[in-house]
């Protein structure tokens, strides 16, 4: 979702904050703003749209002060208009906020009953009101924040400034990341949602844990628990330990890579999208003909891949068939290469492999070429063997994936599958301009929406504890959520060594229902779409037989929620992009379960990252 | 494999035996013979080929006696020539034998060392030698048989007559079925491998258990254990209890239906094969054009089905693509109908449903018709909803399937898939006459070969006991054996409520290998074919990580056997027909495991036979 930069130090806060926000642009946002202290008064500037709109408004402005906060907002509560942009200012208090306040309605009623003047549609503004009420009573920012924190339920990170106290910055979090950057030599302090925003200024960071508060005042940085107990926190110097730098403060590479998915998805789509026109422009794929000509001439697509990449291919089948009307088949590489597959003329064979070195997939693309197919490879590693073999090339641009269990390469591939579906449909004239714009907007929002999902990690962690008690798992889904069920089950197998199997929800009655009893958990991927009622019917049959249900649903779906032991929520998006969100809770549940069982998450037993033998 | 009829009674043995053998013709056989007592001497008549050859040889022969045995043989040890046909006669002893003597070589060496004159290549003749040696010592048929039985290892059923004793018949079994038919009123006795052979003469039967001996002499029928202890056996009157008649003496319908597979497969193919020319003739399928014209005009096939039928469709994909070169896709009905599938023109959509009433499959065929597809239904129930909906029709002809977990409908469908592949290939000119004959011969041998597999049921039962200790199962296969692995895993889920998952063997490295430890069993379907070395490599990786392996292999494959805890053997056949054999041990293992756990095999919890709702 949103990006946060807070600054207290000798430099011009405007430049530091805007440059920091630019580093977080990849997350996607639809408005931005800063609040900077100027001669003891808060000067707030906000703008809809891109950062350049904010920069235009700020051009020429000088700030006589050294304290400020900035924010890029991706709309959750309330439309993407300036009135809802951050920072939110109430009286002498300004705040920026990432995440969601769950007891929003309750707090709003309370504030209204006390006569508060609420000017935006956001949940964020309410936090500013609460702190402002407290500061009026106590004139103590730290105390005001601590009292407010005790009233908040949800997933949030907040940075607060008080115009009466120009040398003080307070921040707290419960959910989304918040990191304190320290440059003691220069007497500079940063509070950011991602170290990227401050890396050019300092290498020393303190990672806040949930419900911790940081209080920076007069060159002194103190940390407190939610109840006010002082805490000692470790400073991580990012050039000190190469692994720490690589892990960016995360316990495991895999967790880091799960958290990198907003950026990975943004990087995957960025070269191929015109963000102003909301237009897909897949070009320069390396074919010897223009891309649209290629896509117009093909009559059939076959995806070939292994493991997680195979499931990405399964998602791609649903997307491409429905949007472009071209028949798509998906094959396991080790089966494809030995079953003497039929490749009629005008077939495009698309391989998916993160490493670009998967032996079966490499053999498959060679065989497809021999049989006269046009080939397109989706890889993360440029100039890898499969990449070199293919006629056309698409890149995940995910950055190095270290965890053996693939995460960001999967979501990046799903993003590319969206682009492919749209470009093929455009080339073949089955997609209107309006539809294209709508789908592109959905896709552009995905990085921010993945951040929203990540913000609720504590719920996935909590749900994962419950999973330990089960003897087995069925992961269910329909349509595009079916391959996500397969992928979720694979993650649990790979990481937690627990037997989980993915199933098309409609197939339950044809056998697996016999497995269901109270020791069998059902993990269902059921975002609100046209299939959800069917899926709920399948679940009812399972629940009636004692099965325990853990659901991934959209926002608050009451009928799904009421039948679930755990209900894990993802934001609403188009059916095409929903797999990019629904897989994230499944990755995190598998991660946390494996970690709590003491397994080596980055190197699961028996497995290797790149399978270069058959 | 073979059929057995023994008769002792007042009627002409020749007619009784030949008519009985005709009832067993469906099993497939390649020679036949009788041995009948005629004025105190054994008259033996044998013929290669069909029963009509034997009948021609017997025409006009009169037998002055009322004791005889007859046999239809499907060659296992030794070619299908008269010399190897049954009955085997040595001295005064004649026998017929079903099954396989495993310590054949050892016994042969022993007999040769004592100067025996062995005239056939069969293991069966050796049994006659052993009994003949004993009878010479003791002049006591029962005692001779008991001594011989103690020397035999394998799966066998044997009926013995001694020309010196015209009112005596002895039989024993260890493996293949052997049933005593009693008609006390008429003083008539039958010993048959299937009650079908005697049903028109009597309704009273005694089912021999393994290593039991029956001794019929002078209107007295006695039963003994292998060690000679007298046994009380229950007489089952087949019209007494309707369920008993229906179950034909089997404990469950499912077990009966597993054992009915030789007949079911024979009935499925019989209308469509010219057994003299070894030619496929799929005709009168109901299309408004000749079948070959239809098959020439189609450019693509999509199979749509649920559960077990979906896996049959997966097998069909391998067969049809490789033999006919037409691209084939397979879809789960509940997914197909909701994913707006692309159905290009000249697509044949084939649905598979035993009941013909499966709701999702019915909806799928209707949708396919709306989209202009030509449709073909494979059902067991004529005039069922799906059958009525389809343009063309193929019938399993399996007879009623009562067990909720499908068995004979599956193998019947696999047989039809073979026929479809061959007919499509013929129509499109991709199959030579010689290849067609070879494949048809393989298919015609399948009923007998299934009987060979069934004869080893006790090994599957024994292996199943071992399965109870595991926490989970991976079923692996490549190529046509991959869907069989899926089906085997489904059977275990359905019946034994144990978590088993089918996987393409080549996909193990891409995740599931992490599940492998000593409490995880791997059931591998690996008949000897061009993929077996790849599969063995995959197994080695699993075994190195502590996984326990249960293999379905062809005959004695030493490298596969050496790495397996249990090695379950099926006869050699073509790659196209191998799924019809390899699935049988998986069905039986699941059945025995569920039965020993006390579960209701015919009505597994939570499941229904015909899924007529979504």
């Amino acid at each position: 979702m949103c990006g946060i930069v807070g600054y207290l130090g000798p430099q011009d806060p405007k430049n530091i904050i805007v440059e920091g926000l630019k580093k977080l642009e990849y997350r996607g946002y639809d408005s931005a703003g800063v609040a900077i202290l100027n001669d003891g008064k808060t000067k707030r500037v906000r703008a809809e749209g891109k950062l350049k709109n904010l920069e235009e408004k700020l051009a020429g402005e000088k700030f006589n002060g050294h304290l400020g906060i900035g924010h890029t907002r991706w709309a959750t509560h309330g439309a993407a208009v300036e009135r809802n942009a951050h920072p939110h200012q109430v009286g002498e208090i300004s705040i920026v906020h990432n995440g969601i306040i769950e007891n929003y309605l309750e707090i709003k009623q309370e504030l209204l009953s006390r006569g508060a003047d609420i000017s935006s549609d956001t949940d964020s503004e309410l936090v500013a009101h609460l702190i402002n009420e407290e500061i009026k009573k106590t004139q103590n920012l730290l105390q005001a924040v601590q009292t407010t924190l005790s009233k908040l339920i949800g997933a949030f990170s907040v940075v607060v400034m008080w115009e009466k106290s120009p040398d003080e910055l307070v921040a707290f979090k419960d959910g989304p990341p918040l990191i304190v950057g320290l440059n003691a030599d220069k007497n500079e302090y940063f509070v950011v949602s991602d170290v990227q925003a401050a890396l050019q200024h300092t290498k020393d960071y303190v990672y806040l844990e949930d419900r911790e508060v940081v209080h920076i005042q007069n060159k002194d940085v103190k940390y407190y628990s939610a109840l006010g107990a002082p805490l000692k926190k470790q400073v991580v110097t990012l050039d000190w330990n190469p692994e720490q730098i690589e892990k960016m403060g995360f316990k495991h590479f895999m967790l880091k890579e799960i958290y990198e998915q907003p950026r990975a998805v943004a990087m995957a789509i960025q070269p191929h999208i015109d963000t102003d026109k909301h237009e897909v422009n897949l070009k320069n794929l390396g074919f010897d003909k223009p891309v649209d000509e290629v896509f117009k001439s093909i009559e059939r697509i076959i995806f070939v891949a292994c493991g997680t990449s195979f499931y990405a291919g399964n998602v791609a089948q649903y997307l491409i068939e429905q949007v472009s009307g071209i028949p798509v088949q998906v094959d396991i590489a080790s089966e494809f290469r030995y079953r003497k597959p039929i490749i009629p003329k005008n077939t495009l064979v698309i391989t998916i492999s993160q490493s670009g070195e998967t032996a079966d997939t490499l053999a498959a693309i060679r065989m497809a070429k021999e049989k006269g197919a046009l080939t397109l490879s989706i890889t993360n590693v440029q100039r890898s063997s499969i990449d070199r073999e293919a006629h056309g090339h698409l890149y995940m641009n995910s950055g190095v994936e270290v965890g053996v269990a693939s995460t960001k390469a999967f979501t990046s591939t799903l993003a590319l599958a969206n682009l492919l579906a749209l470009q093929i449909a455009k080339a073949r004239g089955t997609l209107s301009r309006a539809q294209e714009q709508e789908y592109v907007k959905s896709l552009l929002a995905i990085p921010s929406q993945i951040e929203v999902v990540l913000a609720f990690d504590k719920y996935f962690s909590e749900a994962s504890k419950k999973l330990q008690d089960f003897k087995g798992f069925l992961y269910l889904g329909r349509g595009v959520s079916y391959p996500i069920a397969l992928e979720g089950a694979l993650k649990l197998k790979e990481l937690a060594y627990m037997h989980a199997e993915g199933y098309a929800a409609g197939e339950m009655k044809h056998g697996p229902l016999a497995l269901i009893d109270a020791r069998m958990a059902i993990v269902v991927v059921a975002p609100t779409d046209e299939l959800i009622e069917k899926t709920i019917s399948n679940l009812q049959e399972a629940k009636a037989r004692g099965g325990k249900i853990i659901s991934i649903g959209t926002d608050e779906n009451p009928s799904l929620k009421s039948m679930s032991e755990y209900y894990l929520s993802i934001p609403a998006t188009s059916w095409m992009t929903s797999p990019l969100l629904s897989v994230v809770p499944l990755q995190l549940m598998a991660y946390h379960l494996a970690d709590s069982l003491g397994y080596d998450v980055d190197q699961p037993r028996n497995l290797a990252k790149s399978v270069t033998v058959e």
Side-chain angles (χ1 to χ4, degrees), chain A residues 32-308:
Chain A
V34 296
I36 298 173
L37 220 57
N38 184 34
D39 290 330
K41 280 288 167 196
T42 304
K43 187 185 259 183
R44 183 167 62 143
V45 180
R46 298 180 296 174
E48 286 178 35
K50 293 291 143 193
L51 273 176
K52 63 180 181 199
N53 299 346
L54 180 68
E55 285 187 285
E56 278 167 22
K57 281 190 164 184
L58 286 170
E61 294 268 12
K62 288 253 182 293
F63 294 91
N64 190 15
H66 48 268
L67 174 65
I69 55 181
H71 191 267
T72 47
R73 173 176 188 256
W74 179 79
T76 52
H77 286 68
V81 294
E82 186 175 327
R83 171 169 56 87
N84 290 329
H86 295 223
H88 287 282
Q89 186 178 4
V90 177
E92 295 160 351
I93 292 295
S94 295
I95 69 139
V96 289
H97 161 231
N98 278 1
I100 287 165
I101 308 295
E102 289 181 33
N103 56 339
Y104 155 79
L105 275 178
E106 195 182 308
I107 294 173
K108 191 167 183 176
Q109 293 308 322
E110 207 183 291
L111 286 168
L112 288 172
S113 74
R114 292 196 291 265
D117 176 16
I118 295 173
S119 59
S120 77
D121 313 316
T122 67
D123 51 352
S124 312
E125 185 190 346
L126 309 181
V127 180
H129 277 281
L130 289 176
I131 299 174
N132 186 54
E133 284 186 348
E134 291 303 317
I135 203 98
K136 283 197 270 187
K137 292 180 206 160
T138 64
Q139 295 293 307
N140 181 322
L141 183 59
L142 177 61
Q143 207 177 313
V145 162
Q146 282 167 337
T147 309
T148 300
L149 174 55
S150 70
K151 295 177 181 171
L152 300 179
I153 297 171
F156 47 80
S157 57
V158 177
V159 184
V160 190
M161 59 180 260
W162 178 28
E163 67 180 20
K164 268 208 183 149
S165 180
D167 205 22
E168 188 178 15
L169 197 58
V170 178
F172 57 95
K173 68 151 261 180
D174 189 359
L178 204 58
I179 306 138
V180 182
L182 308 164
N183 187 341
D185 294 345
K186 292 195 183 170
N187 196 21
E188 263 186 334
Y189 306 95
F190 305 83
V191 183
V192 292
S193 56
D194 183 325
V195 292
Q196 299 286 332
L199 262 184
Q200 58 182 316
H201 305 291
T202 179
K203 290 169 175 175
D204 293 335
Y205 294 92
V206 173
Y207 289 81
L208 289 189
E209 298 299 323
D210 283 351
R211 302 193 80 79
E212 289 182 354
V213 179
V214 59
H215 182 216
I216 305 168
Q217 190 170 28
N218 299 325
K219 306 183 187 178
D220 200 11
V221 185
K222 288 197 170 127
Y223 303 92
Y224 299 94
S225 74
L227 300 173
L231 298 171
K232 287 206 167 162
K233 296 285 292 179
Q234 196 199 344
V235 177
V236 178
T237 302
L238 288 191
D239 68 350
W240 193 258
N241 171 343
E243 191 177 298
Q244 274 178 325
I245 298 179
E246 283 187 81
K247 288 189 184 168
M248 292 279 193
F250 288 100
K251 186 170 176 187
H252 293 98
F253 283 108
M254 186 193 167
L255 190 60
K256 165 178 162 276
E257 287 157 5
I258 290 173
Y259 273 80
E260 280 174 351
Q261 289 179 110
R263 179 175 330 184
V265 168
M267 294 293 128
I269 60 179
Q270 178 256 322
H272 309 296
I273 281 191
D274 181 324
T275 49
D276 291 329
K277 296 187 193 159
H278 295 111
E279 197 175 271
V280 180
N281 278 310
L282 275 188
K283 48 191 171 190
N284 305 326
L285 298 191
F287 293 118
D288 57 10
K289 284 190 292 186
V291 169
D292 280 352
E293 213 172 292
V294 169
F295 288 165
K296 244 181 279 183
S297 66
I298 56 175
E299 290 168 24
R300 189 168 181 243
I301 294 175
I302 304 178
F303 278 88
V304 185
C306 299
T308 289

Side-chain angles (χ1 to χ4, degrees), chain A residues 283-522:
Chain A
K283 48 191 171 190
N284 305 326
L285 298 191
F287 293 118
D288 57 10
K289 284 190 292 186
V291 169
D292 280 352
E293 213 172 292
V294 169
F295 288 165
K296 244 181 279 183
S297 66
I298 56 175
E299 290 168 24
R300 189 168 181 243
I301 294 175
I302 304 178
F303 278 88
V304 185
C306 299
T308 289
S309 297
F310 172 66
Y311 300 144
N314 280 291
V315 173
Q317 178 189 32
Y318 286 91
L319 305 188
I320 295 173
E321 283 205 345
Q322 291 199 33
V323 178
S324 79
I326 196 167
V328 179
Q329 190 165 334
V330 195
D331 250 305
I332 296 169
S334 64
E335 288 297 309
F336 177 83
R337 61 182 290 202
Y338 290 116
R339 75 179 170 85
K340 305 190 183 85
I342 310 309
I343 304 184
K345 67 176 166 46
N346 300 327
T347 296
L348 175 65
V349 171
I350 306 179
T351 57
I352 306 172
S353 165
Q354 189 278 134
S355 67
E357 304 293 346
T358 312
D360 282 318
T361 311
L362 180 58
I365 197 170
R366 286 179 176 154
M367 175 189 269
K369 278 173 72 184
E370 273 166 30
K371 292 188 173 219
L374 191 69
T375 59
L376 170 65
S377 72
I378 300 179
T379 59
N380 196 24
V381 181
Q382 298 201 11
R383 307 301 302 151
S384 55
S385 301
I386 293 172
D387 187 38
R388 292 200 307 274
E389 202 69 49
H391 298 108
H393 317 272
L394 267 173
Y395 298 109
M396 299 172 190
N397 290 341
S398 308
V400 178
E401 190 176 68
V402 175
V404 165
S406 182
T407 53
K408 63 180 182 175
F410 181 69
T411 38
S412 296
T413 306
L414 296 184
L416 293 175
N418 269 267
L419 297 181
L420 263 176
L422 297 177
Q423 188 76 40
I424 295 170
K426 273 172 70 176
R428 302 171 79 88
T430 60
L431 187 75
S432 73
R433 183 77 190 93
Q435 287 171 316
E436 180 186 7
Q437 286 182 314
E438 193 187 314
Y439 283 128
V440 169
K441 279 180 195 165
S442 291
L443 192 53
L444 285 170
I446 285 295
S448 302
Q449 291 184 306
I450 295 178
E451 295 240 13
V452 174
V453 179
L454 293 171
F456 287 97
D457 192 7
K458 63 178 175 175
Y459 293 121
F460 312 142
S461 170
E462 195 186 316
S464 78
K465 288 191 187 78
K466 195 78 183 172
L467 299 188
Q468 289 187 37
D469 305 331
F470 292 102
K471 66 167 186 196
F473 303 85
L474 287 179
Y475 280 60
L476 303 180
R478 276 176 180 261
V480 289
S481 299
Y482 166 41
I484 298 304
L486 294 169
E487 168 63 6
L490 181 60
K491 283 290 154 288
L492 205 69
K493 278 199 273 254
E494 286 179 308
L495 298 170
Y497 317 147
M498 292 177 91
H499 203 165
E501 182 172 6
Y503 242 96
E507 279 284 278
M508 278 284 280
K509 280 201 208 66
H510 297 281
L513 203 57
L515 279 183
I516 300 300
D517 60 22
R519 296 203 51 225
M520 198 75 190
I522 293 151

